[in-house]
Amino acid sequence: MRYFIELSYNGKKYHGWQIQPDAISVQEKLNNAISTVFQEEIQVVGAGRTDTGVHASQMFAHFDIEKELKKNIVFKLNSILPNDISVHQVFLVDDEKHARFNATSRSYEYKIWLGRNPFLLDFSWQIHSQRPDIHLMNEASKLLLEYTDFQTFSKVKTEVYTFNCDVTEAFWELKESELTFHISANRFLRNMVRAIVGTLVDVGLGKISIEGFKAIIESKNRSNAGLSVPAKGLFLTKIKY
């Protein structure tokens, strides 16, 4: 039987979602917890990969098991998992349903705090002395919906079969001092959102024009784009199936 797990996590202490040698990952912690509960080795498959330090307010993973699902499984998993990882529900799905390949859309948010806030240091990139132009950033964001090739914003050394992504939503929202970038697409490249945010902030600060932003996308050259903003402000917020 195949089960889906819905969870969230604070990515500060983890080297991303995916298991890797000599580094602590969210996937490793979840594997260990499920294997402990069922007393057999179980490997979960995630809906995607988040990089080191990136958070997730919604993530899905699946696992297969022949045993009957234990009662209070959510409580049992959360009692084993560290406090910065929380399981919300575990539910039965069709045997063919895949957490990664059946996902049709993923949404991210990037949070910037305009000013200084010691209580949000772990969950936002803070810009102290400058005030970016939100109107310009939103005008540039609209261009993302007109393109499919996002090689410009991809990590240079990455193995992918295509740089194409179908971006369906991209906009900035300002609430008092919190500036949030919202973006949704069928898939994302490594480092893509953080590179887009860094480049759009340069637009907002007058370092890059709207036409310049368009030219950067079309160049397909990562060195032309802006900096990769800190991971701590990035959240995976929604996955649709």
Side-chain angles (χ1 to χ4, degrees):
M1 294 178 288
R2 176 159 293 182
Y3 290 92
F4 261 42
I5 305 173
E6 182 186 5
L7 68 149
S8 58
Y9 53 85
N10 176 342
K12 180 182 178 180
K13 297 180 181 178
Y14 300 100
H15 290 258
W17 162 265
Q18 189 176 20
I19 286 180
Q20 50 191 294
D22 304 319
I24 301 173
S25 69
V26 178
Q27 186 181 25
E28 177 188 348
K29 293 292 186 181
L30 191 56
N31 282 347
N32 291 342
I34 295 176
S35 298
T36 299
V37 168
F38 289 102
Q39 293 297 296
E40 66 176 84
E41 186 173 343
I42 296 174
Q43 303 288 328
V44 301
V45 177
R49 303 172 183 175
T50 53
D51 291 335
T52 299
V54 175
H55 315 291
S57 52
Q58 185 181 65
M59 169 63 100
F60 286 98
H62 78 249
F63 68 95
D64 297 326
I65 190 169
E66 294 181 4
K67 294 179 180 179
E68 183 180 352
L69 194 68
K70 290 182 177 289
K71 293 181 180 180
N72 301 323
I73 182 66
V74 172
F75 173 80
K76 289 178 181 293
L77 289 174
N78 284 331
S79 66
I80 298 170
L81 288 164
N83 291 332
D84 49 12
I85 301 174
S86 180
V87 170
H88 304 297
Q89 59 174 330
V90 181
F91 53 96
L92 184 68
V93 296
D94 294 337
D95 291 347
E96 301 302 317
K97 189 167 184 180
H98 197 285
R100 179 183 175 190
F101 298 134
N102 288 132
T104 58
S105 174
R106 296 163 175 84
S107 298
Y108 282 88
E109 291 180 6
Y110 192 89
K111 296 187 179 296
I112 296 174
W113 188 264
L114 301 176
R116 301 176 70 92
N117 189 325
F119 302 108
L120 296 177
L121 284 175
D122 292 337
F123 304 105
S124 65
W125 178 37
Q126 302 194 4
I127 299 178
H128 300 157
S129 58
Q130 297 171 296
R131 195 83 176 184
D133 188 317
I134 312 305
H135 174 72
L136 286 177
M137 292 162 70
N138 268 324
E139 286 300 305
S141 296
K142 293 176 183 177
L143 292 173
L144 296 170
L145 278 64
E146 299 177 9
Y147 291 87
T148 55
D149 189 325
F150 291 97
Q151 184 174 354
T152 291
F153 302 115
S154 173
K155 203 173 186 71
V156 176
K157 293 182 179 179
T158 183
E159 296 179 3
V160 293
Y161 63 91
T162 177
F163 291 101
N164 288 354
C165 305
D166 181 17
V167 176
T168 56
E169 178 183 67
F171 67 94
W172 291 87
E173 182 180 32
L174 179 63
K175 292 182 178 179
E176 297 182 350
S177 294
E178 186 178 69
L179 179 59
T180 304
F181 179 59
H182 303 265
I183 186 167
S184 299
N186 64 327
R187 63 189 291 265
F188 287 90
L189 306 169
R190 286 192 65 193
N191 211 57
M192 176 175 163
V193 179
R194 292 162 61 194
I196 287 175
V197 170
T199 311
L200 287 172
V201 169
D202 281 345
V203 171
L205 295 176
K207 298 178 181 179
I208 299 172
S209 66
I210 300 294
E211 284 301 313
F213 184 73
K214 184 176 181 180
I216 286 170
I217 297 175
E218 294 176 353
S219 74
K220 301 180 183 180
N221 188 334
R222 177 65 185 90
S223 63
N224 292 331
L227 62 83
S228 175
V229 292
K232 61 184 181 178
L234 184 59
F235 295 76
L236 173 61
T237 57
K238 184 180 289 186
I239 302 171
K240 292 183 180 180
Y241 291 92

